[in-house]
Amino acid sequence: MNLLGIDVGTTSLKAVCFDEKGTCLAETNIDYTLDTHGDLVEFDATEYVRIAKEAIAKIEETVKIDAISIDTQGETLILTDAEGTPTMPAIVWLDNRAVKEAEEIEAHFGGETIYNVTGQAETTGGWPACKLLWVRRNLPEVWAKTKKVFMLEDWLLWALSGEFVTEPTIQSSTIYLDIVKKDWWQEMLDFIGVDRAMLPAIVPSATKVGTFGDISIVTGALDQIAGAVGVGVVDENIVSEMTGTIMAICVVTDSIPPYDPASKIPCHLHAIGDKYVSLLWSSTAGMALKWFRNNFASELSFKELDEEAAKAGPGAEGLAFLPHLCGSTMPVYNPDARGAFWGMTLAHGKGHFARAILESVAFTLKDDLECIGAEADEIRITGGGATSPLWAQIKADVTGLNLSTLQEKESACLGTAIMAGVGCGVYSSIEEACQGIIKTKKTYSPQGVDYSAAYRKYKKLDQLLNISEV
């Protein structure tokens, strides 16, 4: 059976078709541009459908598709009338029009209640509950015609199968889903003025809900969750880490971590049963290295910069770096935080600065894992950072854990294809599929390099300089 995983990102759609063993048979990618006007970020909802169907048609030129599942960005909202005709453009997750409504919701319910019910540690204008309240108040003519409320994944499932359904992971950050009961949070619906009849039926991830022609349509997951499945993060023993522009970490838990008013770490539902996922990120990771190279070492490739960093040796001869070029997020949330190099001497060159940046991201990874209490045996790494053997080895030595790269780069599409297979009975479970399909490429084991002094220096520097502006 050929399984198509569709991954709908912010500005591009990727579709990859796999066989039952996880071998890539065909793939395509389609880019698109959002409509941005100040705080408003929108997109023609019907274009999402057109692009998805175009991708399906392109894949079908090469192989026969037996089942499709879809993962999408969270928080992108589509409102339609009773027949499924959009009443306004899709409100993209980046849209920040509902800041005032977010403040009102936070004040009414309180951060602790919102977290304990929905898993979201902060209330922002991007959450769908806030956007719906904004639309109801500011676009009454649109609201009067609106009878159905879709997240982007729901919208594409509806377009392909005709079924008005959703799954819990994509609803985790709406802040109107109770992630313990996996049911709509009635008190929030009452506050924002949304009737339950406007919302789709909730079924589990990896559930067949209908057909598109003779192709089975199966529920998928939030893109971050699909990516976790695609690298085999299905229990507490394995953590995923992606170093690209930012660093994103996915940690599986059996329960919602206790509320911490100082923390901004959200808890989402996993695609598997009653498991949860803590999602952590740092706003600068690969971006910090790119910033340094572009401004101070543009004559070097990233590979050459790695070679210089390797010569500097562990600890960068006392040079330390705080990677807070866009503020800090986790474990300390502080948008006022700023980056800094400390300990510079005449002996330091480009390689030392590059090494300090690489080590700082590894220290942030260690800090995040300790903060969340992760007890993993292995980290599965993806993103551009995974192509650097030096960076991977530093992370392994700093964390004391094995780090593995993956054979398949399109992890979200693979994770979604796995869910398509589970929904059609190809695999008995997501766990069974991951065990048989996910293949690691290379493993970096700790080599006994002692980073304890450098880590203590990083922590002390962070405590001294990670402060708010006065």
Side-chain angles (χ1 to χ4, degrees):
M1 182 173 280
N2 296 335
L3 310 170
L4 182 64
I6 297 178
D7 171 41
V8 187
T10 304
T11 57
S12 68
L13 179 149
K14 296 178 183 178
V16 184
C17 191
F18 301 89
D19 65 16
E20 295 179 19
K21 295 181 180 179
T23 302
C24 175
L25 303 175
E27 58 185 303
T28 190
N29 185 85
I30 302 174
D31 295 327
Y32 45 88
T33 302
L34 303 176
D35 302 319
T36 304
H37 307 281
D39 286 338
L40 277 63
V41 184
E42 299 179 334
F43 192 66
D44 183 345
T46 62
E47 274 294 285
Y48 283 123
V49 176
R50 185 194 66 77
I51 292 167
K53 289 182 177 179
E54 179 184 337
I56 293 168
K58 285 185 177 181
I59 295 293
E60 285 189 308
E61 291 174 1
T62 305
V63 298
K64 179 182 183 298
I65 302 170
D66 296 299
I68 296 173
S69 188
I70 303 167
D71 74 80
T72 72
Q73 63 202 253
E75 296 98 55
T76 292
L77 191 65
I78 291 99
L79 308 181
T80 77
D81 62 18
E83 286 70 43
T85 301
T87 55
M88 65 177 294
I91 305 178
V92 179
W93 71 273
L94 290 165
D95 188 286
N96 205 35
R97 72 183 71 189
V99 172
K100 178 182 176 183
E101 286 71 21
E103 292 171 350
E104 289 183 32
I105 289 172
E106 172 91 15
H108 181 81
F109 290 96
E112 183 171 3
T113 296
I114 292 173
Y115 175 80
N116 287 334
V117 176
T118 73
Q120 299 309 304
E122 59 180 332
T123 306
T124 77
W127 298 156
C130 309
K131 294 171 180 174
L132 289 171
L133 183 56
W134 186 94
V135 172
R136 186 167 68 86
R137 288 177 173 176
N138 293 276
L139 300 174
E141 69 288 352
V142 169
W143 188 252
K145 293 184 292 183
T146 298
K147 303 301 178 186
K148 286 184 167 66
V149 176
F150 297 85
M151 302 308 295
L152 180 52
E153 180 192 339
D154 315 337
W155 173 238
L156 294 175
L157 291 173
W158 161 273
L160 295 178
S161 72
E163 297 297 326
F164 189 36
V165 294
T166 190
E167 49 77 26
T169 73
I170 197 65
Q171 299 289 343
S172 285
S173 55
T174 60
I175 71 168
Y176 49 76
L177 180 80
D178 185 323
I179 66 171
V180 176
K181 298 178 180 177
K182 295 188 180 69
D183 193 11
W184 306 119
W185 184 15
Q186 190 60 51
E187 289 80 4
M188 181 64 74
L189 295 183
D190 292 341
F191 186 82
I192 63 177
V194 173
D195 192 292
R196 290 173 72 100
M198 300 171 71
L199 301 172
I202 304 171
V203 301
S205 293
T207 299
K208 180 179 176 180
V209 294
T211 58
F212 177 61
D214 61 353
I215 303 172
S216 297
I217 302 299
V218 178
T219 53
L222 177 71
D223 53 4
Q224 292 280 2
I225 305 303
V229 171
V231 299
V233 178
V234 295
D235 58 36
E236 294 82 350
N237 295 322
I238 301 175
V239 167
S240 69
E241 182 267 352
M242 186 282 296
T243 293
T245 299
I246 67 168
M247 178 171 64
I249 304 167
C250 177
V251 180
V252 176
T253 67
D254 284 328
S255 59
I256 302 172
Y259 174 71
D260 179 356
S263 171
K264 298 296 181 181
I265 301 172
C267 181
H268 288 255
L269 284 162
H270 198 292
I272 298 172
D274 294 324
K275 291 188 181 295
Y276 297 89
V277 174
S278 292
L279 296 176
L280 302 89
W281 69 91
S282 297
S283 52
T284 48
M287 180 190 295
L289 187 65
K290 185 176 181 180
W291 161 81
F292 176 76
R293 175 188 172 274
N294 288 351
N295 287 282
F296 305 107
S298 58
E299 75 282 4
L300 300 177
S301 67
F302 284 108
K303 182 179 179 181
E304 291 169 332
L305 196 58
D306 262 13
E307 292 170 355
E308 292 299 312
K311 296 175 186 176
E317 293 191 35
L319 185 62
F321 177 65
L322 286 184
H324 308 322
L325 302 182
C326 297
S328 70
T329 50
M330 298 171 189
V332 177
Y333 177 76
N334 181 11
D336 292 331
R338 294 294 177 261
F341 283 102
W342 184 86
M344 290 177 283
T345 72
L346 293 174
H348 291 126
K350 292 177 182 177
H352 297 90
F353 285 88
R355 180 85 186 210
I357 292 171
L358 298 180
E359 291 180 358
S360 73
V361 175
F363 295 152
T364 303
L365 171 60
K366 178 180 175 67
D367 213 10
D368 283 344
L369 294 178
E370 290 180 348
C371 172
I372 203 68
E375 298 181 355
D377 302 318
E378 179 188 0
I379 303 176
R380 302 276 175 88
I381 60 173
T382 61
T387 65
S388 166
L390 175 63
W391 210 347
Q393 188 60 57
I394 290 172
K395 291 174 182 175
D397 289 323
V398 167
T399 62
L401 299 172
N402 290 328
L403 269 71
S404 299
T405 58
L406 285 300
Q407 292 280 9
E408 177 55 54
K409 293 181 179 180
E410 298 298 343
S411 55
C413 289
L414 179 57
T416 307
I418 285 172
M419 286 182 263
V422 172
C424 292
V426 176
Y427 318 113
S428 62
S429 67
I430 291 175
E431 297 96 320
E432 182 257 335
C434 287
Q435 186 174 13
I437 289 175
I438 308 301
K439 298 178 179 65
T440 58
K441 186 175 183 180
K442 183 174 181 179
T443 296
Y444 298 86
S445 298
Q447 296 181 343
V449 178
D450 186 4
Y451 280 95
S452 57
Y455 181 58
R456 286 195 300 271
K457 182 182 294 183
Y458 168 84
K459 290 283 288 182
K460 184 175 182 180
L461 189 62
D462 192 45
Q463 290 165 3
L464 289 171
L465 296 182
N466 194 344
I467 57 176
S468 298
E469 293 182 354
V470 294

